[in-house]
Amino acid sequence: DVKVTQSSRYLVKRTGEKVFLECVQDMDHENMFWYRQDPGLGLRLIYFSYDVKMKEKGDIPEGYSVSREKKERFSLILESASTNQTSMYLCASSFSGTGVPNEAFFGQGTRLTVV
Amino acid sequence: QKEVEQNSGPLSVPEGAIASLNCTYSDRVSQSFFWYRQYSGKSPELIMSIYSNGDKEDGRFTAQLNKASQYVSLLIRDSQPSDSATYLCAVKSRGSNYKLTFGKGTLLTVNP
């Protein structure tokens, strides 16, 4: 079974703190993603990475950065947490290319609350 | 802007009935289609994938794809209360090796 593991299930942080969310996958997937999910807004892509050290902005990258130093690990960084970043954060991974299954597999999610 | 549209619901069906969930997409060159189930407070889990026109069956679930109409659906036969969840439709464009576009999901409630 594909396993995508996020480092925390729940986090509470203070405004202005630097926050690290970690994600590890064990399926040798090329692609890794960070989404946030808010009621009524659906899943919104923050950043994705298609290879080690490679990253691209998604739909809502402002206030976030990412790091991918190893293929299996993708980190999301909130440089200075704000209350409007309170959300459910979901990491996902998938294979790349055509002719292969491209479905994304999700981690269990991190519910982040910024106070 | 590539879009994936779903009726937000809630869709309410009695136990044992067939639940029909629908999704339309705007990008004509989309090639891969996925249905995810998401329980409240949990992360999405993959139920079905479909890549060619027609029906694909897996147990009580059937995915239907019509590329000419840009339409994909999910049928759940013999619905159970445990099927109550939000169902997300996701689409991958031929032009992208990685990016999925998600609909906002349809909330399904199965009443005992």
Side-chain angles (χ1 to χ4, degrees), chain B residues 53-92:
Chain B
N53 279 328
D55 295 359
K56 179 181 178 182
E57 187 174 317
D58 183 0
R60 297 186 295 111
F61 299 95
T62 299
Q64 299 175 317
L65 176 60
N66 184 325
K67 289 187 178 181
S69 300
Q70 295 176 233
Y71 176 91
V72 58
S73 65
L74 179 70
L75 301 179
I76 306 174
R77 290 182 300 282
D78 188 23
S79 295
Q80 301 298 309
S82 59
D83 295 325
S84 298
T86 296
Y87 290 80
L88 302 172
C89 173
V91 174
K92 187 181 90 70

Side-chain angles (χ1 to χ4, degrees), chain A residues 9 31 37 48 102-104 107, chain B residues 36 38 41 43 51 92 98:
Chain A
R9 185 74 180 91
N31 304 321
Q37 188 174 34
F48 62 93
N102 292 131
E103 55 264 32
Chain B
Y36 288 81
Q38 186 175 24
S43 61
Y51 303 97
K92 187 181 90 70
Y98 34 74

